[in-house]
Amino acid sequence: DTEVTQTPKHLVMGMTNKKSLKCEQHMGHRAMYWYKQKAKKPPELMFVYSYEKLSINESVPSRFSPECPNSSLLNLHLHALQPEDSALYLCASSRAPYRPGDTEAFFGQGTRLTVV
Amino acid sequence: GNSVTQMEGPVTLSEEAFLTINCTYTATGYPSLFWYVQYPGEGLQLLLKATKADDKGSNKGFEATYRKETTSFHLEKGSVQVSDSAVYFCALSGPPGTSYGKLTFGQGTILTVHP
């Protein structure tokens, strides 16, 4: 199994809603990532979890709240988003965050989020 | 900090033409280098990688060589197909022990191949 599975694939939410994005991998990877990608742009890192601990938060607004319940799961909780938060949200995982060859990242298909 | 510069696109080619997409990077030490491909409406797929100088990554007819002296990782394919139409991202992570595997991406190059 070399897949990273993200659900849902599409999400439309209002600015007062609370929703969650889910990401799952069963490759035994110990680093997991959330990226945000706007149209025609490269992905931008939001968060890194290393061995289930939050290691990097790229100054992301608090309306985005990550959670790593175990080594296979990564969630992104959304609350009071703005229309400019509409984007493709990508989850990725890698074997480990430190050694060459271990940082190869496998990406999920993404969640296309629209905030109305 | 780390940075990646890709040639500006879009690139439009006829089927069976030769492809080169230039990529140069700035980083301390020896980062790992990657090419990712993104098809419309999908996530990113790893195309190839190289983790040390002079390594050549290859996959599906695509190749790229890690050139430390020119800080480059140019993507090449001898004969492109219509199915290669996608967005290609050059990326780096590292150097080892730093940045927790964070990927720094280039701006992406849109490739369109016509029959």
Side-chain angles (χ1 to χ4, degrees):
Chain A
D1 184 0
T2 58
E3 279 193 352
V4 175
T5 304
Q6 289 186 244
T7 55
K9 286 189 170 37
H10 301 275
L11 178 62
V12 178
M13 61 184 291
M15 288 188 283
T16 58
N17 291 160
K18 286 185 181 181
K19 295 287 185 183
S20 296
L21 309 185
K22 181 179 173 183
C23 174
E24 194 166 3
Q25 58 88 13
H26 295 289
M27 295 178 278
H29 289 177
R30 303 310 299 275
M32 296 187 77
Y33 312 81
W34 280 115
Y35 285 85
K36 173 182 178 180
Q37 186 180 26
K38 301 284 273 184
K40 300 188 187 302
K41 296 291 187 183
E44 296 177 345
L45 183 70
M46 300 174 72
F47 303 103
V48 179
Y49 272 84
S50 171
Y51 295 90
E52 295 92 68
K53 286 186 170 36
L54 183 63
S55 301
I56 294 180
N57 175 343
E58 294 282 44
S59 303
V60 179
S62 60
R63 56 186 184 270
F64 296 90
S65 176
E67 178 195 21
C68 189
N70 60 56
S71 60
S72 299
L73 283 176
L74 186 66
N75 298 320
L76 186 63
H77 303 297
L78 314 173
H79 177 231
L81 295 192
Q82 303 298 309
E84 59 264 29
D85 296 322
S86 298
L88 181 68
Y89 288 83
L90 293 162
C91 174
S93 70
S94 64
R95 275 188 296 277
Y98 305 119
R99 293 185 299 271
D102 281 346
T103 58
E104 168 185 341
F106 292 78
F107 283 81
Q109 294 294 294
T111 294
R112 178 78 57 188
L113 174 67
T114 303
V115 182
V116 297
Chain B
N2 296 338
S3 68
V4 176
T5 302
Q6 277 182 246
M7 65 183 285
E8 294 193 12
V11 174
T12 302
L13 295 173
S14 297
E15 207 165 24
E16 299 184 2
F18 184 84
L19 169 69
T20 300
I21 301 177
N22 290 339
C23 172
T24 57
Y25 67 90
T26 301
T28 55
Y30 289 85
S32 294
L33 301 174
F34 307 92
W35 277 99
Y36 282 88
V37 59
Q38 187 172 32
Y39 298 100
E42 298 189 7
L44 275 69
Q45 298 177 26
L46 178 68
L47 184 58
L48 52 83
K49 66 178 181 180
T51 57
K52 59 183 187 297
D54 300 323
D55 265 2
K56 177 187 278 189
S58 61
N59 185 28
K60 299 180 182 178
F62 291 89
E63 292 183 341
T65 301
Y66 190 143
R67 300 286 188 201
K68 181 69 174 172
E69 64 276 13
T70 55
T71 62
S72 65
F73 193 55
H74 304 321
L75 182 68
E76 295 182 338
K77 186 176 186 184
S79 176
V80 293
Q81 305 300 311
V82 172
S83 57
D84 293 326
S85 299
V87 182
Y88 291 81
F89 291 100
C90 184
L92 68 81
S93 74
T98 71
S99 73
Y100 293 96
K102 169 183 176 179
L103 286 170
T104 299
F105 288 92
Q107 287 302 301
T109 300
I110 300 172
L111 171 66
T112 303
V113 180
H114 292 297

